Structures are given as structure tokens and as C-alpha cells.
Amino acid sequence: MTSPTDFLDEELAALREQGLYNTIRHLEGPQGASLSIGGRSVLNFCSNNYLGLANDPRMVAAATAALERYGVGPGAVRTIAGTMTIHDELEQRLAAFKGVEAAISLQSGFTANLGTIAALVGEGDAVVSDELNHASIVDGVRLTKASRSIYRHADVDDLARALGEARDAGARRVLVITDGVFSMDGDLAPLDRIVETAEAHGAMTMVDDAHGEGVLGRGGRGIVDHFGLHGRVDVEVGTMSKAFGAVGGYVAGSARLIEWLSQRARPFLFSSAVTPPDVAACIAAVGILEQSTDLVDRLWANAARFKEAMRGAGFDLGHSETPITPVMLGDVALARELSRRLFDEEGVFAQAIGFPTVPRGKARIRVMVSAAHSPTDLDRAAEAFARVGASLGVV
Ligand SMILES: *Cc1c(COP(=O)(O)O)cnc(C)c1O
């Protein structure tokens, strides 16, 4: 008997053959510097939990209190069921933290990108996007009828070319979009020069600060603060699922932008809001960052310590400018083997990443350093890398 879904077996087999099949580890407890996997404790270098907030007792207490006051669910989309005051509070706190007029909370960073791009540009307009932008930006661009052009990664001259072409083609509105921090290499968009170039062409600028907030800028205020560009970046998209330790997305900007998104962003209009305990945890995270820069400072100190140890051991760390630490290996089979042996022999969980997430021949292990790691954790991990790396002839 054949079934119309038989192709799924073939496609899955093809993924396995090409080495593209994702195997997911099962965690038996919370996110933290170490994880419980298969009854074993392993050091964790895979999460975006930059500040260790995912299991912070202050976050848990805030979520618990909100659960008791507001319950578990938002009821329906906010435009229909009404919005809980806790969502309003998060938006006000985020706007103040980011130094903008207003913010709007969405379900995730992914939906924030999906909703925002199509609300800002349509037929007759143009989007100009960095070639390495996140999948949610790529998909967001697919949802608009605007014309699109891709510029070479972080290349401002190529951006200027694409902007000139958009104008020559008679585009009405033009939107430049870039990730702030590129998550596979840990490098920064040259946002100051991108903004200048966009301004010179009368284009809007949108930055996705998912890996920058809680990491870059004063006290983790993000990439716009890092470059001192307040008031010059039209749209900031963010996530609450990385440094902020919870879940949810948001857009920050002018009051009129946020008002427009509350009328026109489709994920806002057609998908329910994040739950009250999530929102309370997000508010607590903003409060923790406003109170002290300790966690952000520790994150950077930890990243510096780990990178120094790894460079000392002879590893190539690419061109990272952030705590994202790619250990460049080139060959995907080698990256997988190093990752597997680190896990099995050394109790160090660090994921190998290959094509299509990164270009062919640029496979790596991406090490995510966190403020939650102790100096001993970092030294142990670097020693484990050196041992396994030496036995594989990498260093
Ligand atoms: C992680 C990430 C997202 C998605 O954020 P979620 O809140 O997890 O949906 C969007 N953009 C970039 C650049 C990211 O790194």
C-alpha cells in the first residue's frame, strides 16, 4: 500500500544521509551552566541564556505571583479579548529600558519579524537585507509584496548599491534590515555606517537585536545603545528568549510605529499574547538589568577568559566580537566528531554546526558562554577542547 505521505520517509532518509538530520537532546531539568541529560550532569555551552536568567529565582518568583493573579492564559488575541495590564507594563518597561517612545509585545522574536516587515512595506516598496540575516527576517520578507535585494554581509558599499538600485527602480518606501549580532559568527553589523547609508538614501532602518540585548550597550541595552544611535534606528526587533531568559518578542520604536503595528501587525491581530507568567518573568528580567550591570559584566569577563584559554590552546575563533564563540573547524565530520567526544568523554555539551546553517567548509562548534558559568566551568571546558582537539589533530 502506498500513501500520499510516503515522501516523508524518503525526505527524512535523505536528511539522514546528507548529515542534515537534527538530533535533539532531552533535558531533565532547567537551563543553567550545567544540564541534566540522560541522568548525567554536563556543562552547557549551547543555550542563548546569556545572563543565566532562565532559572533565576527572581524570575521564577515573579512568574509564580503572576500565575496566581492573572492565571495561565491570555484568553484570545489582545484586540478582541482585551489586554492584560501586565502586558502594558512590560511594554512600558521595555520602552524605557531601550530608550524609545514605545514598544509592543509579541509571541516571539520570530513573529515580531514576520509581523513588522509586512506592516511597513508592500507592493511598490523595497526591502534591502543582509545576506546572513536570520531565518525569521528571510520569512518576513517573503510575506511582503515589496521587491527585495540582498547585500553582501556587513558590506556598506554593497548596501549603498542596493539602495541606489531600489531608488532607480522607483521604490516608494525602502526598508533596510539587518541582524545586530550575527549568531553563527558573533560579529556585529556596522550599524553606524548602515544607518548613515540608509539616511543618505531616505530609507528606514530595522535592526534585529536578538543577540545584542542584555549583551551589548550600557547594561545590556542593545546594539543601538552600543553605537549611540538612539533616535536614528526606526525599528528595533527583540526577543525575550535569549539574555532575558524567558520567551516572547517585541518591537521598539516611535509611538506612531508601535500604534501602527498594533493595528496592522498580523501576529498581533491573529495570534494570542504570551502568557501572564512569561510576561512577569520578562518584566523581572528588565528590572534585574536596570538594577545592576553585574550579570552583563560577568558575561563579558567570562567570554574573555574562555576565548583567551581557547586561543592559547591554538583554536581559531573566527571574527567574533561578542560572547558567541565559534570554534572554526572547517570539515563538518570533524566538527561533529569533536562535539560528540566532548559530550561523551568530557561531559561538555557544545553543538557542532554545519551546512546549511553555515556555508560549506565553514563547519564549527559554536560555544555559547554565559554569566552563569563559573571560572572553573570555563577552564574545564577549554581544557576538554584542548585534549580532544589534540587527539583529533586540530590543535
Ligand atoms: C533567536 C532569534 C530570533 C527568534 O527569536 P525567538 O524569540 O526565539 O523567536 C529572531 N532573530 C534573531 C536574529 C535571532 O537570533
Side-chain angles (χ1 to χ4, degrees), residues 23 107 177:
T23 308
Q107 303 79 9
I177 312 180

Side-chain angles (χ1 to χ4, degrees), residues 309-310 312-316 327-329 334 337-339 341-342 345-346 365 381-395:
M310 291 290 283
F315 285 101
D316 171 4
V327 180
M328 305 304 289
L329 296 158
L334 176 64
E337 179 65 2
L338 180 52
S339 170
R341 287 188 53 189
L342 283 169
E345 297 167 17
E346 306 277 351
I365 291 180
E383 284 158 21
F385 262 97
R387 248 188 319 271
V388 181
S391 92
L392 289 172
V394 176
V395 288

Side-chain angles (χ1 to χ4, degrees), residues 99-354:
V100 292
E101 285 175 4
I104 186 167
S105 156
L106 292 146
Q107 303 79 9
S108 68
F110 203 108
T111 62
N113 278 323
L114 293 194
T116 303
I117 297 167
L120 292 177
V121 285
E123 198 147 16
D125 302 328
V127 180
V128 181
S129 178
D130 185 291
E131 65 180 337
L132 296 187
N133 276 345
H134 189 259
S136 56
I137 295 175
V138 173
D139 286 8
V141 171
R142 287 183 182 143
L143 295 178
T144 153
K145 291 196 172 113
S147 76
R148 57 214 60 185
S149 68
I150 308 297
Y151 63 93
R152 282 197 301 274
H153 175 53
D155 183 335
V156 179
D157 294 332
D158 201 40
L159 168 63
R161 173 208 49 86
L163 284 169
E165 284 173 12
R167 280 282 167 236
D168 292 346
R172 184 181 54 153
R173 304 178 201 143
V174 182
L175 178 64
V176 176
I177 312 180
T178 183
D179 278 18
V181 176
F182 289 84
S183 61
M184 291 301 142
D185 291 286
D187 58 328
L188 297 189
L191 194 61
D192 46 353
R193 290 184 298 129
I194 289 175
V195 167
E196 269 169 32
T197 310
E199 283 172 350
H201 289 82
M204 299 178 274
T205 307
M206 167 169 163
V207 67
D208 180 342
D209 205 14
H211 283 275
E213 59 214 349
V215 176
L216 294 172
R218 291 167 304 153
R221 280 168 175 72
I223 192 163
V224 171
D225 191 77
H226 172 84
F227 281 107
L229 293 169
H230 292 283
R232 292 174 66 193
V233 173
D234 301 289
V235 188
E236 287 180 71
V237 166
T239 177
M240 308 306 291
S241 70
K242 291 180 175 141
F244 288 100
V247 73
Y250 71 90
V251 184
S254 66
R256 62 188 181 187
L257 169 76
I258 300 310
E259 186 182 359
W260 177 246
L261 293 177
S262 76
Q263 301 299 315
R264 277 292 170 271
R266 289 167 70 82
F268 187 80
L269 300 175
F270 298 106
S271 182
S272 294
V274 283
T275 71
D278 295 325
V279 176
C282 294
I283 294 171
V286 175
I288 289 166
L289 282 168
E290 280 172 345
Q291 255 171 31
S292 153
T293 63
D294 283 358
L295 288 176
V296 180
D297 296 343
R298 197 177 314 154
L299 169 66
W300 284 92
N302 279 355
R305 184 185 184 105
F306 182 73
K307 285 179 172 175
E308 195 189 319
M310 291 290 283
R311 287 206 179 94
F315 285 101
D316 171 4
L317 304 182
H319 49 274
S320 167
E321 300 167 74
T322 63
I324 296 171
T325 308
V327 180
M328 305 304 289
L329 296 158
D331 179 50
V332 68
L334 176 64
R336 288 227 170 82
E337 179 65 2
L338 180 52
S339 170
R340 186 190 63 74
R341 287 188 53 189
L342 283 169
F343 190 86
D344 291 346
E345 297 167 17
E346 306 277 351
V348 171
F349 181 27
Q351 197 66 260
I353 296 177

Side-chain angles (χ1 to χ4, degrees), residues 2-44:
T2 62
S3 145
T5 52
D6 284 347
F7 74 93
L8 293 172
D9 290 333
E10 291 154 28
E11 297 284 353
L12 283 165
L15 285 182
R16 288 197 177 85
E17 266 160 40
Q18 294 158 32
L20 298 179
Y21 189 86
N22 283 321
T23 308
I24 301 177
R25 303 270 186 196
H26 299 269
L27 318 181
E28 290 133 11
Q31 278 290 344
S34 52
L35 300 172
S36 169
I37 300 180
R40 186 171 160 231
S41 174
V42 296
L43 274 178
N44 176 21

